[in-house]
Amino acid sequence: MQTELSKKLGVEHAVFGFTPFPAVAAAISRAGGFGVLGAVRYTAPGDLKRDLDWLDAHADGRPYGLDVVMPAKKVEGVTEADVEAMIPEGHRQFVRDTLAQYGVPELAEGEASGWRITGWMEQVARTQLDVAFDYPIKLLANALGSPPADVVARAHDRGVRVAALAGSARHARKHQEAGIDIVVAQGYEAGGHTGEIATMVLTPEIVEAVDPLPVLAAGGIGSGQQAAAALTLGAQGVWLGSLWLTTTEADLHAPALTRKLLAAGSGDTVRSRALTGKPARQLRTEWTDAWDDPAGPGTLPMPLQGLLVAEAVSRIQKYEVEPLLGTPVGQIVGRMSSERSVQAVFDDLTRGFEKAVDRINRIAGRSGQS
């Protein structure tokens, strides 16, 4: 699965794997893809440094990258405490009542509430970059639009390519104007924050809109046949995230969540604002249903919602309260029916890709060519 972009980056397969787990990112790179570590959960620079140390030591010299969540526009003088103060008491009470309804235990006294979705904040994201640029990362991806101009320039000065996710051709053109090197066309089917346009429609629109910039297709891709389809639409690679959640290298810390993912079908996800305040595709649970219920208070805008539910999500995950237990995941979850190693996933992807190429060659009357 080689393309012009994968050759430039020095990877065997044009498969870019986004994951919050260093072990998965390293395994993706070792398997011939391009591992991308998600940084949003790292609020302490030391934690990110520790995991980048590990990733760098276990990638076997293969290229890897980092994904941050950073707004293009800076908000001056706003602290996390300022944002916390904006959360209405009625919403806090709704969280308490919902957790009590399902008997979710409190955290132990003095126990940290787990990671908080604060990577969107200017100061947090910049400390992540201060750490990351000390490592030989080859790609910096931003999930929240184009990074600020000085960040793009800083990356380019270090020979690091910059990618940004887009849910429409209009967004993609803005990325191109901002000096982005790679656009990730993220379709409606994808896990996490998504737009309204399906991958099959979105990918060729963005390819045409930003030509000659390389485009990666994301959303609803979990097989080699689907990867081949993305390349025929003009993409120079695929961006996969959900598929790695049930790999043996992933560390979800929740066997019940793994079971739910393995049992889920492609219709068992929902785009909900329950997690961050922006529409994000995730497993449908009684937690998402509660927030989407018109009888409830409704979700808050980003980042208030993420801060509001951070401790609740940590408690649900720690105690594995199955009715409420979920995670961002795309519609491709229906294909994630068994735990496999990252290498086994790549073996399946490459076999499927070869079959798809052979099928197209036969249709085109070029049997035996590939």
Side-chain angles (χ1 to χ4, degrees):
M1 282 188 281
Q2 281 237 324
T3 64
E4 182 181 351
L5 177 62
S6 66
K7 291 176 183 177
K8 286 181 178 178
L9 288 170
V11 295
E12 183 179 357
H13 304 298
V15 175
F16 294 73
F18 164 80
T19 174
F21 306 116
V24 176
I28 290 169
S29 292
R30 290 197 307 269
F34 193 104
V36 182
L37 179 65
V40 70
R41 67 193 180 103
Y42 294 100
T43 56
D47 292 342
L48 178 59
K49 183 181 187 306
R50 176 201 64 216
D51 282 0
L52 283 174
D53 280 341
W54 192 96
L55 172 55
D56 194 60
H58 290 82
D60 289 355
R62 305 291 182 89
Y64 61 88
L66 191 76
D67 179 278
V68 297
V69 178
M70 193 174 193
K73 295 181 179 179
K74 183 176 180 178
V75 180
E76 297 283 356
V78 177
T79 67
E80 185 176 333
D82 295 331
V83 177
E84 288 270 12
M86 300 177 190
I87 298 174
E89 178 56 31
H91 282 73
R92 296 187 186 277
Q93 187 61 49
F94 180 76
V95 170
R96 290 192 288 267
D97 291 345
T98 303
L99 296 178
Q101 178 185 347
Y102 290 90
V104 182
E106 298 276 354
L107 296 175
E109 185 175 354
E111 183 178 358
S113 64
W115 66 274
R116 295 163 65 79
I117 302 172
T118 55
W120 63 273
M121 298 183 74
E122 179 80 12
Q123 63 269 33
V124 176
R126 286 188 180 275
T127 59
Q128 293 169 349
L129 295 178
D130 289 341
V131 171
F133 284 137
D134 285 337
Y135 292 82
I137 62 171
K138 300 299 182 184
L139 179 72
L140 174 67
N142 191 37
L144 200 62
S146 303
D150 69 295
V151 171
V152 176
R154 188 178 175 190
H156 287 167
D157 286 346
R158 289 165 171 76
V160 178
R161 286 180 170 84
V162 181
L165 277 63
S168 71
R170 178 174 60 86
H171 292 155
R173 280 190 287 266
K174 288 185 176 180
H175 294 335
Q176 186 177 39
E177 292 167 2
I180 300 302
D181 305 292
I182 302 167
V183 177
V184 181
Q186 186 178 40
Y188 173 84
E189 307 95 325
H193 297 127
T194 70
E196 303 284 347
I197 306 173
T199 304
M200 180 66 76
V201 176
L202 181 66
T203 301
E205 285 186 355
I206 288 184
V207 168
E208 181 178 349
V210 301
D211 184 59
L213 283 188
V215 173
L216 302 176
I221 301 171
S223 71
Q225 291 89 338
Q226 290 165 321
L231 299 194
T232 64
L233 294 174
Q236 288 204 29
V238 292
W239 177 275
L240 310 182
S242 299
L243 197 61
W244 316 111
L245 289 174
T246 52
T247 56
T248 53
E249 292 90 346
D251 191 10
L252 289 176
H253 297 296
L257 179 56
T258 299
R259 290 195 299 271
K260 290 185 76 169
L261 288 169
L262 294 174
S266 56
D268 292 328
T269 68
V270 63
R271 286 174 77 244
S272 171
R273 298 176 184 269
L275 186 61
T276 68
K278 291 184 68 176
R281 186 170 297 285
Q282 55 202 280
L283 277 182
R284 182 176 181 178
T285 66
E286 294 184 32
W287 177 256
T288 62
D289 285 350
W291 282 104
D292 295 339
D293 188 341
T299 55
L300 296 169
M302 190 179 194
L304 300 182
Q305 182 71 16
L307 293 172
L308 169 65
V309 304
E311 181 179 329
V313 171
S314 293
R315 289 165 59 186
I316 291 166
Q317 291 177 344
K318 176 179 178 178
Y319 298 109
E320 299 190 66
V321 183
E322 291 205 33
L324 305 180
L325 188 62
T327 184
V329 68
Q331 291 179 334
I332 201 63
V333 70
R335 293 187 61 94
M336 296 156 51
S337 56
S338 64
E339 290 188 79
R340 300 178 293 165
S341 68
V342 168
Q343 184 61 60
V345 172
F346 264 88
D347 291 343
D348 184 59
L349 288 170
T350 54
R351 281 193 299 266
F353 183 83
E354 290 170 357
K355 288 180 181 178
V357 171
D358 287 344
R359 184 181 302 118
I360 292 298
N361 281 331
R362 286 196 302 271
I363 292 171
R366 295 193 297 270
S367 180
Q369 299 179 28
S370 61

